[in-house]
Amino acid sequence: MFRALSSPVVLTRAIAPLRARALATSAPKFPVKNQGVLPTSRSPVVATLQFFNSVTGESGQIPTYRVLDGVGIPIEGAEVPQISEEFARTLYENMLLLPTMDNILYNVQRQGKISFYMTSYGEEATIIGAAAALANDDEQRETGQYREMGVLLWRGFGIDAAMAQCFGNQDDKSGKGRQMPMHFGSVEHHFHTISSPLATQIPQAAGVGFALKRDPARRNKNVACVFFGEGAASEGDFHAGMLLASTIPSPTIFLARNNGFAISTPAHEQYHGDGIAARGPGYGVETVRVDGNDIFAVFNAVKEARRRCLESGRAVLVEAMTYRVGHHSTSDDSFAYRGRQEVEDWKKIDNPITRFRLFMESKGWWDEKEEVALKAKLKNDVMTALKRAETLKRSDLRDLFTDVYGGEEPWNLREQREELASLLKKYGEVWEPWRNELKRFRDEGKNLVD
């Protein structure tokens, strides 16, 4: 069935957006003979006036690294990572957990129980493949696109903790209910808290990498890794981060998820050059482009990128070419700017979960019976966590004023806290909306005053 779906006509229609994301460029053909070099840059001096618009020489477009084809078969010459059956199963279970959580939490948001949600549909291989290739104590400076919940789950964050953050209840260790859903953070799991503004995490990651390099206990042991979308790469912070990691070398992996859309803006309207990978050499950064729907390609590329970061103490750029199957968020209807059939074609032809499952089946590591059992188990686990999260109260109302500054509470925060306490004392018991709302907090607002 899957081979039949890969017919030339259907496949061409499905990969058209991918081609649009990597426009062909003219390859430079400079004369071999030169007139010496510039003393400051070692650039060859030539007598022929010639412009160029490519970083790949004669080959034109930057190639995309792949291990498994669309039906899970290793392509000729590819190096399949030497992993055990147990590890492969763990990869697959984590990949399948993401759409399970996405299906449930997307519907929960539609029911009004949480305010916001973003899915990872279609990008499971990029997220889990990269997470598996990193060390669990590598610093994960999270992306501004909020789709890397899978990295935390891989590191043992847990479904309950993810659910608590989305509901903002008393078990939320990421922000005590003060952040939007999908804005995770965990000191224990070396996962820096997500912030909403686009691309702010990119220069921060370069700084984290530099700090790791200066720390004797972590130097040559850990790297920083930052995820971001191709839309975020249009922000000035992308260039600031790349320049910082290049000129003040730091072991930082810049992982661009090129999923084809920056909310409603397709990639071909975001840049005219050859994707995000073409920008790496301009900053002197080693770069690779990978098939983001091939978990082995992502795993190999990120593992090698990590090795190079540690060996050289310098940054590496990885561009993962994938496709955002889901809407940008629960605030978006993507069918207003792309065809429904386009999405359905990608689901069938280039589904990263299907691709890896077919590989597992070819090795005798998976079958239909196990597939049904795993889906049932994951759904039960997520629903159990959901039902628990719904019953828990929010953190103390006093936490609204904590964790902003270290040391003694500043006078202005103390004044605000005391003012809120006086308002609650005056109206909290007599005005029904406030009375009902206060019952949702663990302390019911009674601990505002010292």
Side-chain angles (χ1 to χ4, degrees):
M1 177 180 69
F2 293 96
R3 290 183 182 278
L5 287 170
S6 298
S7 65
V9 175
V10 178
L11 186 59
T12 299
R13 184 169 67 244
I15 66 174
L18 182 61
R19 288 177 174 170
R21 280 182 270 164
L23 301 177
T25 55
S26 59
K29 298 179 180 179
F30 295 112
V32 176
K33 185 177 179 180
N34 61 66
Q35 308 297 322
V37 296
L38 291 180
T40 55
S41 69
R42 309 302 297 172
S43 173
V45 175
V46 298
T48 303
L49 176 64
Q50 186 170 348
F51 293 82
F52 66 93
N53 186 23
S54 173
V55 297
T56 58
E58 299 293 331
S59 61
Q61 272 184 278
I62 297 170
T64 300
Y65 171 66
R66 171 183 282 183
V67 177
L68 301 178
D69 67 14
V71 292
I73 299 174
I75 66 174
E76 184 178 355
E79 180 181 346
V80 177
Q82 298 299 308
I83 61 173
S84 65
E85 177 181 346
E86 180 183 5
F87 187 76
R89 284 172 171 269
T90 302
L91 288 173
Y92 187 69
E93 289 170 9
N94 276 267
M95 289 179 74
L96 203 56
L97 174 59
L98 292 182
T100 305
M101 294 190 70
D102 286 347
N103 291 341
I104 292 172
L105 283 169
Y106 192 93
N107 289 328
V108 165
Q109 191 279 335
R110 287 297 187 243
Q111 295 167 13
K113 296 180 179 179
I114 61 176
S115 61
F116 180 79
Y117 193 72
M118 300 187 84
T119 66
S120 303
Y121 296 131
E123 302 180 54
E124 297 89 353
T126 295
I127 297 165
I128 301 302
L134 296 168
N136 283 345
D137 59 347
D138 282 337
E139 294 297 325
Q140 178 61 51
R141 184 59 189 97
E142 177 56 29
T143 177
Q145 279 69 58
Y146 337 106
R147 302 191 199 279
E148 276 64 49
M149 175 173 64
V151 177
L152 265 174
L153 293 172
W154 176 268
R155 293 185 173 189
F157 188 64
I159 300 173
D160 281 325
M163 202 68 70
Q165 196 285 323
C166 288
F167 276 86
N169 61 38
Q170 65 190 38
D171 282 358
D172 174 23
K173 301 298 191 297
S174 293
K176 299 181 181 179
R178 297 171 298 202
Q179 277 273 31
M180 290 174 60
M182 303 303 289
H183 287 56
F184 301 103
S186 175
V187 174
E188 177 187 354
H189 299 94
H190 301 270
F191 194 96
H192 294 227
T193 304
I194 301 168
S195 57
S196 292
L198 199 65
T200 56
Q201 75 278 12
I202 302 176
Q204 292 167 4
V208 170
F210 184 61
L212 291 174
K213 192 174 181 179
R214 289 177 57 86
D215 184 350
R218 304 187 69 180
R219 185 184 303 141
N220 301 324
K221 178 185 176 185
N222 291 115
V223 303
C225 179
V226 57
F227 288 80
F228 54 93
E230 83 287 346
S234 296
E235 296 285 334
D237 279 345
F238 166 80
H239 300 281
M242 291 287 287
L243 183 63
L244 174 59
S246 173
T247 56
I248 307 178
S250 69
T252 303
I253 299 174
F254 295 88
L255 207 162
R257 291 182 297 94
N258 192 334
N259 66 16
F261 295 93
I263 308 182
S264 61
T265 305
H268 68 268
E269 293 182 12
Q270 297 175 50
Y271 50 75
H272 186 65
D274 191 359
I276 309 304
R279 305 176 191 180
Y283 289 104
V285 171
E286 288 193 294
T287 303
V288 66
R289 173 180 286 161
V290 304
D291 181 348
N293 287 0
D294 176 357
I295 191 168
F296 281 164
V298 176
F299 178 81
N300 284 351
V302 175
K303 188 175 182 179
E304 175 62 15
R306 184 179 187 275
R307 186 194 69 78
R308 289 173 181 246
C309 277
L310 292 176
E311 185 178 89
S312 66
R314 306 189 68 90
V316 176
L317 172 63
V318 178
E319 181 181 24
M321 308 301 288
T322 181
Y323 185 81
R324 196 195 77 207
V325 170
H327 305 297
H328 173 72
S329 72
T330 47
S331 304
D332 175 47
D333 176 12
S334 65
F335 298 130
Y337 52 84
R338 63 177 178 179
R340 188 180 297 269
Q341 190 58 50
E342 175 188 318
V343 177
E344 293 303 316
D345 286 345
W346 275 91
K347 284 183 183 179
K348 297 173 183 176
I349 296 170
D350 205 10
N351 186 316
I353 295 177
T354 299
R355 190 191 297 198
F356 190 49
R357 189 184 77 234
L358 291 173
F359 170 80
M360 298 258 293
E361 290 175 352
S362 72
K363 299 281 287 185
W365 294 349
W366 202 252
D367 58 36
E368 184 62 27
K369 183 179 178 180
E370 291 177 295
E371 180 79 6
V372 172
L374 178 59
K375 286 182 176 179
K377 177 186 179 300
L378 292 177
K379 183 176 181 181
N380 179 68
D381 291 346
V382 175
M383 289 301 299
T384 300
L386 168 64
K387 292 173 182 177
R388 180 178 182 276
E390 289 181 303
T391 64
L392 297 177
K393 290 189 175 185
R394 298 173 181 169
S395 294
D396 294 346
L397 184 57
R398 187 187 178 107
D399 286 335
L400 181 65
F401 302 94
T402 61
D403 306 317
V404 180
Y405 301 100
E408 185 178 351
E409 182 182 37
W411 65 267
N412 57 326
L413 281 187
R414 184 173 63 255
E415 282 190 356
Q416 293 173 36
R417 176 170 56 80
E418 291 172 349
E419 182 180 1
L420 177 59
S422 66
L423 289 171
L424 292 181
K425 183 177 180 180
K426 185 176 182 180
Y427 301 111
E429 294 297 325
V430 297
W431 194 38
E432 186 176 358
W434 275 21
R435 187 168 65 246
N436 293 337
E437 189 69 14
L438 284 170
K439 291 178 181 178
R440 301 178 66 182
F441 290 91
R442 182 172 51 189
D443 64 351
E444 297 186 357
K446 297 175 181 178
N447 296 327
L448 279 172
V449 182
D450 295 325

